[in-house]
Amino acid sequence: MSDIAWEEPFCAEGSSCFRLGTDTEGNAYIAVNGQEEHYLTDSLEALRTLITDIKAGKADHLL
């Protein structure tokens, strides 16, 4: 497994901060900031779809 390149944390009002990451193998990762060793992983396309849906208001309850 290659190293994960984590982005800066995203913090919504009144909720936990999340970090997104990617690796050179095309995988995407999401973790609670400060707990990056406990992450969820999926394809980059799946993470992109999740973020697009959240921005569209379809899954705002996740943040």
Side-chain angles (χ1 to χ4, degrees), residues 11-40:
C11 301
E13 280 188 42
S15 60
S16 298
C17 295
F18 296 90
R19 294 189 80 176
L20 304 174
T22 56
D23 66 18
T24 58
E25 297 172 9
N27 298 311
Y29 304 85
I30 186 167
V32 174
N33 188 39
Q35 298 183 19
E36 288 82 359
E37 66 277 3
H38 303 289
Y39 55 78
L40 296 175

Side-chain angles (χ1 to χ4, degrees), residues 2-18:
S2 60
D3 291 327
I4 301 170
W6 292 103
E7 295 182 6
E8 291 298 315
F10 170 78
C11 301
E13 280 188 42
S15 60
S16 298
C17 295
F18 296 90

